[in-house]
Amino acid sequence: MTITSPLSYVYDGTRCLGFILKRGKLGFEAIDREEASLGIFKTQTAATNAIFSHEKSPAAKGGANIEGPHESSNTASAAAQ
């Protein structure tokens, strides 16, 4: 039996990419770092993969509050400028 937390964060190194919420019988909801839902998935692994896939998509790189090359910026530092 696998026990999962109701809230899990997804990191790439020290950068938070998003988080996953356990939704009971529905499954797991993947949410990006701007708190936009990416959908509900049957497994936590599938939700995690959705966050990583979303992060690599061109739409995620061109999002609001992100300036310059995506790899060198994050929402918090861009919003502080």
Side-chain angles (χ1 to χ4, degrees):
M1 178 176 174
T2 303
I3 299 173
T4 58
S5 171
L7 174 67
S8 301
Y9 290 89
V10 179
Y11 281 88
D12 182 14
T14 59
R15 188 170 51 118
C16 183
L17 303 179
F19 51 98
I20 299 169
L21 292 172
K22 187 175 180 181
R23 296 295 190 191
K25 292 181 181 181
L26 292 175
F28 299 89
E29 183 175 8
I31 301 173
D32 69 9
R33 65 180 170 200
E34 282 89 27
E35 299 183 11
S37 177
L38 302 177
I40 296 180
F41 301 86
K42 290 184 179 185
T43 66
Q44 192 171 19
T45 302
T48 302
N49 290 339
I51 292 171
F52 276 104
S53 295
H54 174 74
E55 182 66 21
K56 292 179 182 181
S57 73
K61 291 182 181 182
N65 298 328
I66 299 176
E67 300 174 5
H70 188 278
E71 291 78 19
S72 64
S73 67
N74 64 38
T75 304
S77 66
Q81 294 178 356

